């Protein structure tokens, strides 16, 4: 067995072991208040609010992806993309991190767009990039306008620096990308050098397509802001049910940073990692009973898992129409004709 194969087989086991350590730490350290969890999580109003919130954000994010796909000239229906989004939510239950489902979405949409696979996959990457960028931006703005949160909290100060750094780089990079500077000879010369490599060239061309679709990108960013705002308001409402003594402005910092941390690919849905992240954030800010932070994200994860299970309906409905690794070449035509996205091409 080659060294490359050994490494490939080693990483999944390492992540599983690390995930087990994190979960064990969460349970033994009593980061979760199970009494409050039981009382709030299974209340009827919590179920209604949680599922309504998840449906709203899913539709908003799906519409954002739909607009970005149309900007690439892809033939897709909103219904089909919603079905793929739900399939991605279903696979998030089994894949490490909270972005694992994006890999499945990218794989499926690539199969459904055989003549534009790179552009199809790029829409998934760009969509996720827009969403995460807005999450970081929310946290950075909160820290900027509520700098008193940093006073006397070295750990929070150390966290603020990379948040500001990443947010600043994203803003500068976005302005540069959409400005005339992108068309200067030095930049285009460098891009042409990378275009000689087939895959990189296709990715650059896919990115360039958005330079002529500025209104669409603006709408995508606005949809992300709406989604994050609703996300924060839902966490704040849930925090009120748990009697968490935190202000709305603090939640505008806590939620973006905590949710972003849950994207670390250790366990499915960010389980374990999110609990530690929210506990530490609550502790650093000085919120009484920081275990309420871990309890808060656990309730959200419970309903995220439940909501993701609905994605199995779409997965099993279209599984026989989607290619498997042993039938990819033979089934490409079938996928193009019968998949949820390609139904509207004709």
């Amino acid at each position: 067995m080659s060294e490359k194969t050994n490494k490939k087989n080693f990483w999944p086991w390492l992540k599983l072991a690390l995930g087990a350590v994190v979960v064990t730490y969460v349970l033994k350290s009593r980061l979760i208040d199970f009494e409050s969890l039981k009382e709030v999580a299974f209340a009827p109003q919590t179920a209604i609010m949680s599922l309504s919130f998840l449906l709203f954000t899913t539709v908003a994010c799906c519409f954002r992806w739909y607009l970005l796909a149309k900007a690439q000239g892809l033939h897709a229906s909103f219904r089909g993309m919603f079905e793929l989004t739900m399939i991605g939510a279903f696979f998030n239950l089994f894949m490490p991190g909270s972005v694992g489902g994006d890999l499945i979405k990218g794989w499926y949409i690539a199969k459904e767009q055989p003549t534009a696979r790179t552009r199809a996959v790029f829409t998934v990457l760009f969509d996720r990039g827009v969403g995460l960028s807005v999450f970081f931006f929310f946290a950075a703005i909160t820290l900027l306008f509520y700098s008193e949160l940093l006073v006397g909290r070295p750990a929070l100060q150390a966290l603020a620096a990379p948040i500001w750094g990443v947010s600043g780089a994203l803003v500068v990079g976005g302005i540069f990308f959409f400005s005339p500077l992108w068309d200067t000879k030095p930049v285009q010369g460098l891009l042409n050098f990378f275009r000689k490599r087939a895959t990189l060239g296709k990715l650059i061309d896919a990115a360039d397509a958005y330079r002529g679709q500025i209104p669409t990108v603006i709408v995508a960013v606005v949809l992300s802001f709406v989604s994050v705002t609703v996300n924060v308001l839902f966490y704040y409402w849930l925090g009120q049910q748990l009697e968490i003594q935190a202000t709305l402005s603090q939640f505008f910092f806590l939620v973006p940073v905590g949710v972003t941390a849950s994207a670390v690919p250790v366990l499915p849905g960010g389980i374990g990692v999110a609990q530690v992240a929210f506990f530490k954030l609550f502790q650093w800010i000085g919120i009484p009973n920081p275990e309420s932070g871990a309890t808060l994200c656990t309730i959200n994860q419970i309903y995220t898992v439940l909501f993701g299970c609905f994605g199995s309906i779409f997965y099993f409905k279209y599984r026989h129409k989607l290619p498997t690794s042993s039938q990819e070449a033979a089934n490409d035509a079938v996928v193009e004709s019968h998949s949820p996205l390609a139904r509207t091409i004709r």
Side-chain angles (χ1 to χ4, degrees):
M1 188 177 292
S2 66
E3 182 179 350
K4 184 176 181 180
T5 303
N6 285 331
K7 288 183 178 180
K8 184 177 180 181
N9 294 332
F10 171 74
W11 281 112
W13 289 105
L14 178 61
K15 290 180 179 179
L16 184 61
L18 181 59
V21 170
V22 172
V23 171
T24 301
Y25 171 76
V26 169
L27 294 176
K28 286 193 172 183
S29 300
R30 297 183 179 180
L31 298 189
I32 300 173
D33 182 349
F34 286 100
E35 276 299 319
S36 297
L37 177 69
K38 181 180 177 181
E39 181 180 347
V40 175
F42 304 107
Q45 64 268 26
T46 302
I48 294 172
M49 286 290 291
S50 298
L51 295 177
S52 298
F53 150 73
L54 288 167
L55 179 61
F56 177 87
T57 54
T58 298
V59 170
C61 292
C62 183
F63 187 61
R64 181 184 66 197
W65 183 30
Y66 170 74
L67 292 177
L68 294 174
K70 298 295 286 186
Q72 288 287 342
L74 301 181
H75 299 284
S77 68
F78 177 79
R79 176 184 171 183
M81 300 195 84
F82 178 78
E83 291 167 354
L84 288 189
T85 299
M86 291 302 298
I87 291 173
F90 174 59
F91 274 92
N92 266 337
L93 306 181
F94 311 104
M95 301 185 70
S98 63
V99 297
D102 287 341
L103 301 176
I104 300 300
K105 286 165 55 179
W107 191 81
Y108 279 168
I109 195 173
K111 290 300 176 182
E112 297 176 347
Q113 303 285 339
T115 62
R117 290 183 175 180
T118 302
R119 286 188 289 122
V121 173
F122 187 77
T123 63
V124 179
L125 299 176
F126 194 80
D127 176 71
R128 172 56 68 170
V130 170
L132 288 178
S133 297
V134 172
F135 263 102
F136 267 101
F137 190 71
F138 255 89
I141 291 297
T142 301
L143 286 171
L144 188 63
F145 285 97
Y146 298 93
S147 56
E148 67 272 9
L149 295 174
L150 305 178
V151 178
R153 299 185 177 99
L156 200 54
Q157 292 171 8
L159 183 63
I163 289 176
W164 281 333
V166 171
S167 298
L170 289 169
V171 171
V172 172
I175 294 174
F176 176 75
F177 177 71
F178 288 104
S179 74
L181 292 174
W182 187 262
D183 296 318
T184 58
K185 287 185 178 180
V187 175
Q188 289 302 312
L190 181 62
L191 293 176
N192 288 332
F193 171 77
F194 288 115
R195 280 191 175 98
K196 295 177 182 179
R197 290 149 179 82
T199 302
L200 281 177
K202 291 178 180 179
L203 288 174
I204 292 172
D205 291 339
D208 273 340
Y210 288 123
R211 298 191 72 238
Q213 299 286 343
I214 295 179
T216 298
V217 175
I218 291 175
V219 172
V221 172
V222 170
L223 284 171
S224 297
F225 270 95
V226 171
S227 178
V228 175
T229 300
V230 173
N231 200 339
V232 173
L233 291 176
F234 168 70
Y235 269 90
Y236 179 70
W237 177 86
L238 199 56
Q240 297 302 297
Q241 310 310 303
L242 290 169
E243 299 182 351
I244 295 176
Q245 298 177 28
T247 64
L248 181 58
S249 61
Q250 288 176 322
F251 268 89
F252 270 99
F253 164 72
L254 293 165
V255 176
V257 177
V259 172
T260 301
S262 70
V264 176
V266 177
L267 287 177
I271 295 173
V273 176
Q275 275 75 9
V276 174
F278 272 88
F279 178 87
K280 289 297 183 182
L281 287 169
F282 274 53
Q283 190 178 55
W284 290 342
I285 287 183
I287 296 175
N289 302 320
E291 65 273 8
S292 61
T295 306
L296 179 72
C297 73
T298 302
I299 295 175
N300 185 64
Q301 286 174 341
I302 289 173
Y303 284 99
T304 299
V305 169
L306 179 61
F307 186 78
C309 289
F310 288 112
S312 63
I313 299 172
F314 300 101
Y315 171 66
F316 290 111
K317 179 179 178 181
Y318 293 106
R319 183 179 58 173
H320 66 285
K321 298 177 183 178
L322 295 169
T324 61
S325 59
S326 62
Q327 298 176 320
E328 287 181 1
N331 286 350
D332 271 348
V334 176
V335 174
E336 184 179 358
S337 300
H338 298 290
S339 64
L341 278 181
R343 284 198 307 269
T344 61
I345 292 179
R346 291 183 177 81

